[in-house]
Amino acid sequence: MGRRPRARQHSTQYAWLITGPLALFAAVCFAAFWAAEPTWYKSWPGGLVALAGVCMAYVGVFNVVIRRSTYSIILTEVPLVLALYYLPPAMITLVVTAATIITQVARSAVVIPAKMWFNVAKGAATISAASLVVAALPDFDGAGPATWVVITIALLVNTIVDLICLAGVMGVVQGPRAGQEVLRGLPPAIAISSVNIVIGLVFLVTLVANRWSALLLAVLVAALVLMLRSFAEFFRQHRTLTDVYELTKAVREEGADVSLPDVLLGRVRALMRAEYATLWLPSQGRHPEVLLTARVENKGLLDLSPTPATIRERAITDGQTLAIGPQFGKTQEWRKELRAFKIKDAVIVPLRSGQTTIGSLEVVNRLGDTRSFRAADVQVLETIAAHAAAAVENSRLVERLRHDAYHDRLTGLPNRRRITDALAEAVRVRAEKEVVATLLFDVDGQRDVNESMGHAAGDKLLAEVAERLRGIAGPGALVGRIGGDEFVVTLRAESTDVTVRLATEMREQLRGPMTVGTLTLDVDTAVGVAVYPDHGDDPETLIQRAELAANAAKVLPYGVQLFHPALESRAVRRLGIAADLRKALDNDELDVYYQPKVTLADRHLVGVECLARWTHAAHGEVAPEDFVAVAEHTGQLSRLTERVLSEGLRRCREWAEADRPLSIAVNLSVRTLLDSRFPDHVEELLEHYAVAPAQVTFEISEPGMLGDIERVLPTLYRLRDLGVRLSVDDFGTGASSLSYLRQWPVHEVKIDDSFVQGMATDSGDLAIVRAVISLSREFGLTVVAEGVESELTLDLLEEMGCEIGQGYLFSRPLPYERLEAWFSAQTEPESTPTGEVRRLRAVI
């Protein structure tokens, strides 16, 4: 059902539509009364007494508050009973008119002409109507029952006409509904008027019986006024305490669930009987400025404030309540500024949290022309403000805790929990021809920054990455941080291909130089991509699979990997073999294979590379990169390295004793080189197996060594001082300059097989191989080419001056027994000046 449209309000000037006829009616009646009794003015002494009584009655006015204005049911029946009995009608009309003007001017801080003249015309018209009733009925005959009836009818007419006039002006100015609300107060007004008429008649009968009883009546009236005021004050305080309790209860119970201003301001305005109630909170951190006002005519809140900014600033600066109005003599200098804004009074209470001012609570314009804020109202507002300040702090604390629970403290980005919730919401809404993409960015090099420059620099790097991701992700994406150096971007895209292309573009934009302290770093990232619904239908699965793809992307030159099932099966397989690897090392179940290394100029067999191999009872052949990765993550890498090195040294000694001296090459992980005890262990093994250090070559992967070069250099120098040879493996795949070869204590460069295998068909690979060979020879380094698989490749390498080759063209990696058979079948002894060596018979 639709809500009934609100009646349109008109200007207060429309009140003249009612005021004019009332004034005209009162004027005509006054002229008629004057004509009927020309000497009415001679009763002026009684008129002065009546004027004083009516003015005093106006002080005890009964107020009806409707919307922004307060209209009064005037409790003047007691003096009017006496006036109707003793005074001529013209004098009564003049008395009521004068009393209305006096009280309106004296009690109103801001005089509104339309309202004041309406009240004057209404008072004159209603008492004129009552006088007409008296004139139309039989004359008074003493103070008997007949007189009682005439006076009662006249004053009830006075009350009814008063409310009808009030309803009329409210209907004209604020709409018919406002007029209807006034008329609903007619029965209680008649009841109150009737009680007052009875009291007035009692006074009349007493005065007629004995004029000296006026003294007793005066004492009685004074006592009744004091008693009623005491009761009124008591009930007012009780009602105020009840209202304050209800307000604080509402703030406590509802303020945490809904907006605090919505709960607070309407209740404060009603409790303080103010036209406006305003809450102001300055901007603080991520909290924006709040300036909201409840107004008596509006159901919602307004984003404005009637309080002059200078007055609010004064209260905030002093940190003290600032109350301005007729009841506050110390702030009279501010009333002039308030009048410029058509404000009669205001109370501004600073909201305090400890010694800090966090805002203000303000009320403006006490409703009712004859009312203004008092000291008691200030105390009430200060009590409310204390509760409001606590509520503000509690709500901000709850919001801060909620924010911290769902955001990363360092970067301010959503954390894993928030990302998971957002993904859960996203996958619930499936749109045709759209996918929900999860992009995981793994920052490379952040650990190096932590270790070399400190964690503060590392944090600054992460904050810079977060800021860049925010800028490049676009408005429809959610950027979060889910781990130490892992960031996630979730968004909707047209397809999986579009997602991969977008991930590639974002990675390229992210790669720009970043300034950390005094250094400018070129930070790279690996990006894993998983999409809903192809790769999972729940957040945890999507994030997990994006992480797997990011790990795989680290070894790719373009750094972006879309998830595929093989990645997960490989990860699951690695997890499953972790316990079995320890068992295999305990039981010597790992094998060592050997791949021959041959000089290209004369085809001499000069050594072998020792490679670990593992045949699992359930999984079969386990890829070396899988179990090596497992060994690194489970702390078993040192045992694996020792197993391969020990087996290689044992075979090396056997070959030397059989007059077939061959060198051995063993791969080392950077993690092994970070162990300061490793060189001492190598020295012990060399002595144990009686192998010359020069017969051993340690191969270290270039990309891995680049990441920790400063940390591994001391170990490399110690190994070189032992006499072993050092080789840079997979050379060319890292992001280094060839000039680094001058700084590293290495003897050999091993060109990565990806370049060697492509050099016969790709001019770029050919140029890279040629450059590496040329520069390495300039530095006096031996060059080894791995991945030699064709005669054409062999001829090209030999032509360029490459010294040693290794690859399937010569032999695959072989176990020891098959290697011995290969020696017999594929090599023959040849005498050289340095002794006998094995030479390949033919290259097949």
Side-chain angles (χ1 to χ4, degrees):
M1 181 181 294
R3 178 181 294 178
R4 181 182 298 176
R6 184 178 178 180
R8 182 179 178 183
Q9 297 182 6
H10 298 94
S11 169
T12 55
Q13 298 301 320
Y14 279 78
W16 289 103
L17 296 174
I18 304 297
T19 304
L22 291 177
L24 179 61
F25 173 75
V28 171
C29 290
F30 183 77
F33 296 149
W34 193 329
E37 193 172 350
T39 61
W40 62 271
Y41 55 84
K42 293 182 179 180
S43 59
W44 63 267
L48 291 177
V49 173
L51 177 63
V54 174
C55 288
M56 292 177 61
Y58 269 109
V59 175
V61 67
F62 179 77
N63 293 303
V64 178
V65 180
I66 301 175
R67 298 186 184 276
R68 65 174 297 170
S69 301
T70 299
Y71 294 88
S72 304
I73 299 174
I74 304 173
L75 305 178
T76 55
E77 285 81 1
V78 173
L80 287 180
V81 167
L82 301 177
L84 288 174
Y85 186 83
Y86 285 109
L87 298 177
M91 179 60 72
I92 297 174
T93 303
L94 182 62
V95 165
V96 171
T97 302
T100 304
I101 294 174
I102 291 170
T103 53
Q104 288 283 316
V105 173
R107 297 298 301 273
S108 297
V110 177
V111 176
I112 302 175
K115 179 178 287 189
M116 186 189 77
W117 291 116
F118 164 75
N119 286 328
V120 171
K122 175 171 67 70
T126 55
I127 197 61
S128 296
S131 298
L132 288 176
V133 171
V134 172
L137 294 175
D139 294 338
F140 297 143
D141 184 13
T147 301
W148 301 350
V149 172
V150 172
I151 292 176
T152 299
I153 294 174
L155 291 181
L156 288 178
V157 168
N158 177 82
T159 301
I160 294 170
V161 172
D162 186 278
L163 277 181
I164 291 175
C165 293
L166 183 57
V169 77
M170 294 298 293
V172 169
V173 175
Q174 297 188 3
R177 181 173 296 181
Q180 294 172 5
E181 291 178 3
V182 173
L183 290 177
R184 290 193 186 99
L186 183 59
I190 292 176
I192 295 173
S193 179
S194 300
V195 172
N196 291 327
I197 291 171
V198 171
I199 296 173
L201 290 173
V202 171
F203 283 14
L204 174 62
V205 171
T206 305
L207 287 173
V208 170
N210 188 341
R211 293 183 178 274
W212 289 103
S213 63
L215 297 176
L216 299 177
L217 291 176
V219 174
L220 177 61
V221 168
L224 287 173
V225 168
L226 291 176
M227 183 180 66
L228 290 175
R229 283 189 175 182
S230 298
F231 275 108
E233 183 66 17
F234 171 78
F235 285 117
R236 187 192 68 81
Q237 292 177 356
H238 180 270
R239 185 175 63 252
T240 299
L241 289 175
T242 302
D243 291 343
V244 170
Y245 171 75
E246 294 295 333
L247 187 150
T248 55
K249 181 180 178 182
V251 169
R252 183 177 67 253
E253 294 179 353
E254 302 177 32
D257 300 324
V258 297
S259 174
L260 177 63
D262 291 333
V263 177
L264 179 70
L265 291 179
R267 290 176 169 85
V268 170
R269 190 208 58 74
L271 174 60
M272 299 299 295
R273 296 179 179 83
E275 181 180 359
Y276 300 94
T278 299
L279 177 68
W280 174 73
L281 303 173
S283 58
Q284 181 181 2
R286 64 175 177 273
H287 301 288
E289 181 185 21
V290 174
L291 182 62
L292 294 172
T293 297
R295 186 181 182 186
V296 69
E297 293 179 348
N298 298 89
K299 293 184 177 180
L301 300 182
L302 308 176
D303 56 349
L304 52 83
S305 171
T307 309
T310 54
I311 294 179
R312 178 187 298 120
E313 291 173 3
R314 172 67 179 273
I316 297 299
T317 302
D318 294 345
Q320 300 292 330
T321 299
L322 183 60
I324 305 171
Q327 301 292 327
F328 309 105
K330 295 182 179 179
T331 57
Q332 291 302 312
E333 70 274 11
W334 293 97
R335 293 191 66 189
K336 183 178 180 181
E337 185 170 349
L338 285 184
R339 291 194 189 98
F341 290 88
K342 296 183 178 180
I343 297 174
K344 66 175 182 178
D345 52 0
V347 181
I348 300 95
V349 180
L351 302 180
R352 302 186 64 81
S353 175
Q355 300 299 318
T356 305
T357 300
I358 62 173
S360 65
L361 183 62
E362 309 158 12
V363 289
V364 171
N365 284 351
R366 179 69 179 264
L367 291 177
D369 296 335
T370 60
R371 293 293 185 94
S372 62
F373 294 117
R374 300 177 301 169
D377 298 317
V378 174
Q379 294 177 355
V380 171
L381 190 61
E382 287 178 338
T383 302
I384 298 172
H387 288 282
V392 169
E393 284 298 281
N394 289 339
S395 64
R396 286 183 173 180
L397 176 60
V398 170
E399 183 181 349
R400 184 161 58 248
L401 292 175
R402 186 180 293 117
H403 182 275
D404 291 345
Y406 286 95
H407 290 79
D408 173 55
R409 288 191 176 184
L410 173 63
T411 63
L413 294 177
N415 58 14
R416 179 182 286 271
R417 180 186 298 179
R418 177 70 183 92
I419 290 292
T420 301
D421 291 347
L423 269 175
E425 291 294 329
V427 299
R428 286 195 188 101
V429 182
R430 183 170 183 178
E432 294 295 330
K433 299 181 180 179
E434 272 192 354
V435 297
V436 178
T438 303
L439 314 180
L440 191 141
F441 291 77
D442 193 317
V443 181
D444 185 25
Q446 193 264 342
R447 187 184 68 177
D448 300 334
V449 174
N450 281 344
E451 293 175 351
S452 59
M453 302 177 64
H455 285 276
D459 291 346
K460 187 175 181 181
L461 172 65
L462 292 176
E464 176 69 18
V465 172
E467 191 63 29
R468 288 202 180 181
L469 271 178
R470 279 196 193 100
I472 66 180
L478 178 64
V479 181
R481 181 186 177 209
I482 64 170
D485 56 1
E486 292 181 338
F487 295 84
V488 165
V489 178
T490 65
L491 57 120
R492 289 187 176 272
E494 297 176 4
S495 64
T496 301
D497 293 339
V498 171
T499 302
V500 174
R501 183 168 68 250
L502 182 61
T504 304
E505 293 173 356
M506 291 175 65
R507 177 177 178 269
E508 289 301 318
Q509 296 178 46
L510 197 61
R511 290 181 66 186
M514 298 184 185
T515 301
V516 179
T518 59
L519 297 181
T520 300
L521 306 177
D522 190 6
V523 179
D524 202 358
T525 56
V527 187
V529 180
V531 298
Y532 164 82
D534 296 348
H535 303 142
D537 56 4
D538 66 272
E540 293 295 344
T541 300
L542 289 172
I543 294 175
Q544 175 195 359
R545 291 178 173 177
E547 286 179 317
L548 289 174
N551 290 333
K554 293 178 181 179
V555 298
L556 300 178
Y558 48 86
V560 178
Q561 174 66 59
L562 178 67
F563 172 81
H564 55 82
L567 295 175
E568 187 169 46
S569 61
R570 183 174 176 182
V572 172
R573 188 180 184 190
R574 284 183 177 181
L575 184 63
I577 65 176
D580 296 335
L581 177 60
R582 185 182 305 275
K583 221 179 272 186
L585 287 170
D586 291 339
N587 300 329
D588 268 348
E589 294 175 1
L590 268 71
D591 299 319
V592 177
Y593 279 40
Y594 307 89
Q595 186 173 28
K597 298 168 70 174
V598 179
T599 59
L600 302 186
D602 48 21
R603 307 298 194 270
H604 287 166
L605 180 64
V606 294
V608 293
E609 181 178 1
C610 303
L611 301 167
R613 294 293 185 266
W614 182 24
T615 302
H616 192 278
H619 299 293
E621 294 288 339
V622 182
E625 56 268 27
D626 287 344
F627 68 77
V628 169
V630 170
E632 283 188 319
H633 285 88
T634 58
Q636 302 178 74
L637 184 62
S638 60
R639 294 185 62 196
L640 177 61
T641 303
E642 181 182 359
R643 160 72 178 154
V644 176
L645 180 57
S646 298
E647 187 66 15
L649 290 174
R650 184 167 71 86
R651 299 303 180 186
C652 183
R653 187 189 63 188
E654 291 176 358
W655 291 326
E657 291 174 350
D659 293 328
R660 292 185 303 178
L662 293 175
S663 64
I664 62 169
V666 177
N667 289 295
L668 292 184
S669 167
V670 171
R671 185 166 296 188
T672 301
L673 293 174
L674 292 175
D675 185 358
S676 60
R677 300 168 298 177
F678 179 69
D680 297 332
H681 189 51
V682 171
E683 186 176 13
E684 293 173 1
L685 289 176
L686 290 173
E687 292 178 0
H688 177 74
Y689 289 102
V691 174
Q695 291 294 100
V696 179
T697 300
F698 288 122
E699 297 181 359
I700 306 103
S701 174
E702 181 208 13
M705 186 162 58
L706 282 174
D708 290 281
I709 186 61
E710 297 298 331
R711 300 169 65 199
V712 302
L713 272 177
T715 303
L716 292 178
Y717 279 113
R718 289 180 61 191
L719 291 173
R720 186 196 64 177
D721 294 342
L722 284 178
V724 300
R725 292 172 57 81
L726 300 175
S727 174
V728 181
D729 197 8
D730 302 325
F731 192 82
T733 59
S736 65
S737 166
L738 293 175
S739 63
Y740 282 153
L741 293 176
R742 298 173 56 190
Q743 305 172 21
W744 297 340
V746 297
H747 308 83
E748 179 181 287
V749 171
K750 197 170 187 179
I751 306 174
D752 188 70
D753 57 1
S754 62
F755 300 112
V756 174
Q757 292 173 2
M759 60 184 290
T761 56
D762 190 307
S763 59
D765 290 344
L766 181 63
I768 290 174
V769 173
R770 179 177 284 111
V772 172
I773 293 174
S774 175
L775 191 60
S776 298
R777 294 180 66 182
E778 289 293 329
F779 292 155
L781 303 176
T782 302
V783 181
V784 180
E786 60 178 343
V788 181
E789 297 183 357
S790 69
E791 289 284 354
L792 178 57
T793 301
L794 180 63
D795 293 340
L796 290 172
L797 289 170
E798 186 175 358
E799 179 185 340
M800 293 178 193
C802 182
E803 297 166 278
I804 299 175
Q806 177 182 345
Y808 286 2
L809 182 65
F810 306 123
S811 174
R812 295 173 178 272
L814 301 171
Y816 178 73
E817 292 76 11
R818 290 181 60 188
L819 179 67
E820 289 293 322
W822 183 85
F823 283 160
S824 301
Q826 300 295 331
T827 65
E828 58 186 9
E830 179 178 319
S831 298
T832 66
T834 58
E836 184 178 292
V837 296
R838 307 295 295 185
R839 183 180 186 278
L840 265 64
R841 289 194 174 95
V843 176
I844 301 176

